[in-house]
Structures are given as C-alpha cells and as structure tokens.
Amino acid sequence: MKSSTTCSPILSFPFEVVMIRPTPKPKALVPIFFSLKKTTPLQMNIKTMKTSILHFFSNIIDPPLNPSVDPIHVFQGNLAPVEEMEPTDCQVIEGKLPLSLNGVYIRNGPNPLHQPCRALHLFEGDGMLHSLRLSNGRATYCNRYVKTYKYMLEREVGFPMVPNMLSGLYGLLDIVRFCVCITRIITGHLDIMKGIGVANTSLAFFSGKLFALCESDLPYIVNVTQQGDIETLGRWDIDKKLLSTMTAHPKFDKETKETFAFSWSFAFPHLTFFRIDEKGVKQKEVPIFSIHKPNLIHDFAITKRFAIFHETQLVFSLPKVLFGRGAPLVYEPKKSTRIGILPRYAKCDSELKWFEVPGFNASHIINAWENGDEEIVVVASNIMSLENFLNKKKLDVVLEKVKINTKTGNVCRNILSTRNLELGSINKAYIGKKTRYLYLGVLEETPKTSGLVKIDLETGIEIGRRFYGPGCFGGEPLFVRRNGEEDEDVEFNDEDDGFVMTYVHNEQTDESIFLMMDAKSPDFTTIAAVKLPRRVPYGFHGLFLTNWVLDNSLDNSSRRD
C-alpha cells in the first residue's frame, strides 16, 4: 500500500541548517562543523508554495484513503483473510450436540483473495463460506471460497481485475485503473455477462437448491457434501439480461413454495420485483417506476398478500464514482422516506401504494405481517445516523415497529429498543406471519456483535439476553427449530422451541468457537460449544439445513440418480 508523509515547513525560524565538509587532509581526522545560511522570505515562500502544489496534485492523483475503505485498516484482526480448509473434525468443549439435530450450519462473509490495488470496503471482499456439519453428536468444520466468475478470473491472473464500485474511486489513478478495466471488457478479457459479484452476503435455500448471494449479481449454487465439504456448482443464470442481479434477501413462502425477490440497477427502473415458482422458473417481472432515484434498498418483506419495500435517504451517485470522488452513496436528509405496499401477484406498479414514514432507513426488515384486512405491521432495524454511512464502523440503530393502515393512510410507530440491535432472525415458519419472538445481535462494530437479546413483541420488552464476555464477539444469532426443517409443513404453536447458534471469536486468544444456545432460556444457556480448528472471521448471514433437506435437494437427488 502507498504510504505518505506530510511536510510542515517551520516558518518561524528563517534559517536552514547546511552541513559543510572541508577537503580532507591526509591521515587526519576530518572535522565536521555547521554554519547557518540565511534564508530570505522569498525563498521560504517559494518552498512553501512547492510543498502546497505537491500536496494539491498528490490529492488529485492518488489521495489517501478513508480508513473505512483502506484494506490495511478494514481487513485486520479477525477480519483478516484466512485460507481454505478441508473438512476437519472438531472437539465439543462444553455440553453436548443434540443427537436429533443433524445437518449443517453455514455462514457467509467477506474474505479478499488478493491484496487490492486501492480501496476495498468490507462489503466487497470475496465470499467465503464457513460451515459446521453436525452428525450424531460430532462436528466437522470446513471453509471454502464461493467460486464466482470474479474469483476464478482473479485467481488465474493473480491480481484484482474487477472494480469495486461500492468502495468507490479516489483520484486520477483510480480513474485510470477503471478505464483499464473498461478496456479489458472491450477486448474480451473481462466478460461482465458472467457477473462481477462476490456472493459474500447471505445464503438461501429455495427451489430445491442452496444459494450464496450478494445483491450485485445473481446467486451461485453451492452444495455441502456428506463429508462436510463445500462445492460451488455454478452461477444461477435465471435470465440472459445484461448485468442481471438479485437481492441477497429473497423471501420463501413455505405454503405456496414460491420465492419472492427483486433486482436493483443504476439504470431506470431502479427496482424490479419478481417471483420464482417451486420449480425455479422466474415469473413475469414488475418494474417499479415510482422509484425515481437509485437509493439503497437492501432488504424487503412479504406478507400473505403483499410485498413490502422501503425507500431510504441513501442515494447512489454514479457520477461521484466516475469522477473519482469516493464511494457512490450520498445521504440526502431532505429526501422523503416511505414504505411501499405491492400485491404479491400485481401485474404492474400502478397497484403499489406508498406511505410516508419520515426518517425510516431500515437496514434489515426482520418480518412483516397483516393485522386484519387493512393494517400492515413491519418490524425493522432503523439506522438513525446516515451521515458517512459507509465510513462508520459503529451505527446508531433502533428496533422499530411500524403499523400502516392501508385504508386511512395512518402510520403508527413504536421504538421497541434503543440498543444497537441488528442482524436479527426469527423462526422461519413465521415469515410473513404474526411473530412474537425476535433474536438480534447487539451490534458493536459492523459486523461483529457483543451479545444477543430476545424481544417479545407482545410486551415490547427484552426477555432474554447474553453477552459473550470481554474481548469476545459473535455475529448474527440464528434461530433454528428444535427439529430443524424435517417437519417443515407442520404448524408450530411453540414459536421459540429451538436453538440459537452463531460463531464467537475471542480476540484475546485469537480462537473461535461454534456456540449453540437454548432459545427459551432467559440467559441463553449453552447447549454445546465446539472449538473450531481455526480462526473464523466475522461475517454476515447464515442458515441451518438438516440432512433431510440436503439429501432431498435437487443437486443431491440428481447425483444419486
């Protein structure tokens, strides 16, 4: 990485020290002495001007990076990249793994393959999956890169080739590098039709397949073998559109077996809603023409009849990137924030209704449901401070419940918790239905959490909490039903009957564990702790799939046949 020094001429001392060395005499010690050479005010001014001009052009050509996108600062500590590891048996160091819960816990996150040339935000590191396969009380750990087109291309050439648009361009040299990238596209050395995403954000299982996702590309199909290894099977090309994308947070309806999703674009229309049937066939798209600016929409929600979107105050500015002025996101405090409610089977966006919800900038919508025929309830983590969103490690977040009367237009809001609660999960059987229990991480610095809490939505209070201890941090607390997914068609009355699991890292010992806790316990009592064979970097979202689901996936079924 480039290092820089700052020159500060001392104007109060109008002399400069000059060392004079006389002609040496044979076989004699050479005396060294100093004299003071008078510096005129004109010379001092010229010297100061030279320094200022050098700094000026340096900041235009190759300015210093903000720590939020400087890889030296971002990918350090437990965010530093790790190598792949083949399936490795692990030791249970506390409690016992339930014999009835056999499957795999798998979590996604950023892990850069190469040291980048310049800026690289945390959100743009190459995707790496960390899995723990549970089988009859034993655990097997494995971690592998998602073998995206970008990853395979850059592994072959040995250096980064694809620009990081979210990180932004900083100065003239970055613009030149971007132009070189355009040249590679024109000459065919970089095929953007194959996607340029990193698949580092989340995982989802639908249409009989397991996917690794990020919102800048289409999903990648992955598979977990019986031995616990992770395979990338390829990019899921559901259509042939240029630079086609799909949200990292699709929603699966267990009753209809449909998956609902959206794609995002710099070009108009900026948001397009669609659904995928049980067989994995993409249905007709619904472009959302009433969104006039390409603002940040990371997540959405579904209910029994509707899809719920939210328009934020974070707007993407492509010219800002192309002119080398940094990251593309711009905070527009005067922009109105609103929630849109669209029928799930709408033919066009004329059926979309917008409702003003000032200051609602949700990072993740945890769930939404219908309360009667006219009221929609949305529960989300709302970011309160958006200035320099990409430059802040610690965000001010509140947990909020929003009620919208679709007939009268009345909006009622209630803050459930002022803790920094993010990266939440629920019992997946209740997606789109009235939910009582939420499990959320206490966000310390994105994306690591110092603990977790359980919120009872009926009372609006915390009914469970646990902190990992000094120097120990986890990630997203994932709720898993006690019997996993094997009885997925059964309606559950005991919503919180299950476990909460996550990876926890001790920054003092540099060791990581897998932690499984009792979801019903007010202090999240440990069910089992598994010592992992290596440090597991902090990451984003994960899921748990039972052996029954894995064995009946389309990929494994086709292999058996």
Side-chain angles (χ1 to χ4, degrees):
M1 300 298 296
K2 182 179 79 72
S3 62
S4 61
T5 58
T6 302
C7 301
S8 299
I10 306 175
L11 300 180
S12 60
F13 188 69
F15 298 92
E16 58 180 331
V17 178
V18 180
M19 185 175 70
I20 300 175
R21 190 184 298 271
T23 304
K25 296 180 180 180
K27 299 182 180 181
L29 295 176
V30 181
I32 300 176
F33 58 93
F34 300 89
S35 70
L36 295 178
K37 178 183 177 183
K38 181 76 174 181
T39 302
T40 66
L42 177 60
Q43 289 174 321
M44 290 298 298
N45 288 336
I46 292 174
K47 192 172 183 179
T48 303
M49 287 177 61
K50 287 181 178 179
T51 302
S52 299
I53 291 171
L54 285 174
H55 278 294
F56 175 77
F57 282 105
S58 176
N59 285 328
I60 291 178
I61 297 172
D62 198 19
L65 294 174
N66 186 291
S68 65
V69 293
D70 188 338
I72 293 179
H73 296 283
V74 177
F75 293 98
Q76 64 173 343
N78 195 42
L79 282 170
V82 295
E83 299 292 331
E84 292 185 326
M85 178 178 280
E86 62 183 11
T88 305
D89 290 338
C90 305
Q91 178 187 2
V92 179
I93 58 175
E94 184 179 352
K96 293 183 179 180
L97 291 169
L99 297 178
S100 60
L101 189 65
N102 294 309
V104 62
Y105 169 69
I106 183 168
R107 199 220 62 202
N108 208 339
N111 196 86
L113 174 63
H114 295 299
Q115 177 74 12
C117 300
R118 281 284 283 168
L120 184 65
H121 194 275
L122 176 68
F123 297 158
E124 292 192 302
D126 295 288
M128 175 171 275
L129 305 179
H130 299 263
S131 71
L132 195 72
R133 182 120 200 191
L134 309 181
S135 179
N136 299 318
R138 298 175 56 194
T140 303
Y141 169 82
C142 178
N143 70 297
R144 299 289 189 189
Y145 279 103
V146 184
K147 305 303 191 296
T148 63
Y149 169 69
K150 173 185 179 298
Y151 168 86
M152 298 299 288
L153 179 67
E154 294 182 346
R155 187 180 69 171
E156 180 179 352
V157 298
F159 61 88
M161 285 187 65
V162 179
N164 304 303
M165 295 302 292
L166 186 60
S167 303
L169 305 180
Y170 298 80
L172 186 59
L173 280 182
D174 282 354
I175 295 175
V176 171
R177 293 186 185 101
F178 182 76
C179 292
V180 171
C181 178
I182 298 298
T183 302
R184 290 177 179 142
I185 295 173
I186 294 173
T187 58
H189 292 89
L190 179 60
D191 186 357
I192 60 175
M193 289 294 290
K194 295 181 180 179
I196 57 175
V198 290
N200 69 359
T201 307
S202 66
L203 293 123
F205 187 89
F206 58 88
S207 301
K209 298 179 183 294
L210 175 60
F211 298 97
L213 309 97
C214 74
E215 52 210 12
S216 60
D217 204 343
L218 291 174
Y220 274 80
I221 307 170
V222 296
N223 178 57
V224 180
T225 69
Q226 292 286 346
Q227 294 73 33
D229 209 344
I230 305 169
E231 305 170 327
T232 302
L233 303 182
R235 186 170 180 253
W236 196 42
D237 195 2
I238 53 177
D239 54 28
K240 302 295 182 182
K241 293 170 59 177
L242 180 65
L243 291 179
S244 185
T245 66
M246 179 173 149
T247 175
H249 293 291
K251 308 301 178 185
F252 178 69
D253 188 320
K254 289 183 177 294
E255 294 182 359
T256 66
K257 309 299 182 185
E258 296 171 303
T259 302
F260 298 85
F262 66 86
S263 60
W264 185 92
S265 173
F266 272 117
F268 187 81
H270 305 295
L271 194 74
T272 301
F273 174 64
F274 60 91
R275 61 187 174 91
I276 301 165
D277 66 19
E278 183 179 1
K279 297 180 180 180
V281 178
K282 182 179 179 181
Q283 304 301 300
K284 185 178 180 180
E285 296 180 339
V286 180
I288 308 299
F289 296 109
S290 52
I291 293 179
H292 304 296
K293 291 184 176 182
N295 65 102
L296 178 65
I297 301 178
H298 176 65
D299 199 1
F300 79 122
I302 60 168
T303 68
K304 184 177 181 180
R305 295 179 295 160
F306 301 102
I308 315 294
F309 299 96
H310 63 291
E311 192 172 17
T312 70
Q313 293 171 305
L314 285 173
V315 177
F316 285 89
S317 172
L318 188 58
K320 182 183 176 185
V321 177
L322 297 181
F323 285 101
R325 293 170 51 211
L329 280 178
V330 177
Y331 171 50
E332 295 188 354
K334 295 183 180 180
K335 184 178 181 295
S336 175
T337 57
R338 53 185 186 164
I339 292 178
I341 300 177
L342 177 72
R344 295 200 328 186
Y345 303 103
K347 301 296 183 182
C348 63
D349 81 327
S350 62
E351 301 179 58
L352 176 63
K353 293 183 179 181
W354 288 103
F355 300 87
E356 300 288 331
V357 188
F360 186 75
N361 292 283
S363 51
H364 293 101
I365 297 181
I366 301 167
N367 202 19
W369 64 88
E370 300 168 32
N371 188 13
D373 293 332
E374 299 176 357
E375 187 174 76
I376 302 291
V377 180
V378 178
V379 180
S381 295
N382 184 17
I383 303 175
M384 302 302 292
S385 56
L386 285 180
E387 297 88 348
N388 301 316
F389 169 73
L390 288 179
N391 298 336
K392 297 178 67 176
K393 284 188 175 182
K394 191 161 188 174
L395 299 175
D396 297 322
V397 184
V398 297
L399 182 65
E400 190 167 340
K401 179 194 285 186
V402 181
K403 295 181 179 179
I404 302 173
N405 189 302
T406 58
K407 185 176 182 180
T408 66
N410 183 55
V411 177
C412 177
R413 303 172 67 178
N414 180 28
I415 293 179
L416 301 174
S417 176
T418 56
R419 286 190 193 268
N420 277 16
L421 300 183
E422 246 283 36
L423 299 173
S425 68
I426 63 171
N427 185 326
K428 291 200 299 180
Y430 289 81
I431 291 178
K433 302 176 183 178
K434 185 177 181 179
T435 310
R436 180 171 181 178
Y437 301 114
L438 314 178
Y439 305 87
L440 300 110
V442 181
L443 191 65
E444 186 69 20
E445 293 181 356
T446 305
K448 67 181 186 180
T449 62
S450 57
L452 72 155
V453 300
K454 179 181 180 181
I455 302 289
D456 185 339
L457 291 179
E458 288 191 1
T459 61
I461 63 174
E462 288 184 12
I463 60 172
R465 69 184 61 86
R466 175 172 176 171
F467 292 88
Y468 303 125
C472 295
F473 302 95
E476 173 191 63
L478 179 70
F479 177 87
V480 177
R481 291 180 294 181
R482 190 167 299 276
N483 294 317
E485 305 292 326
E486 296 175 10
D487 43 9
E488 60 180 4
D489 295 325
V490 177
E491 186 67 28
F492 283 80
N493 296 318
D494 203 355
E495 183 183 335
D496 62 345
D497 184 25
F499 311 106
V500 177
M501 54 186 65
T502 188
Y503 291 130
V504 176
H505 180 71
N506 187 327
E507 295 188 347
Q508 297 174 355
T509 64
D510 205 29
E511 295 177 332
S512 298
I513 64 170
F514 166 77
L515 186 60
M516 179 186 292
M517 298 163 280
D518 183 0
K520 282 180 170 288
S521 171
D523 57 358
F524 290 104
T525 303
T526 298
I527 299 297
V530 178
K531 183 178 180 180
L532 301 173
R534 64 112 45 82
R535 173 178 65 83
V536 176
Y538 303 121
F540 301 132
H541 305 284
L543 53 66
F544 183 87
L545 296 175
T546 64
N547 287 343
W548 184 88
V549 173
L550 288 169
D551 292 342
N552 287 276
S553 67
L554 294 182
D555 298 307
N556 280 329
S557 298
S558 62
R559 293 184 183 194
R560 287 196 306 267
D561 294 340

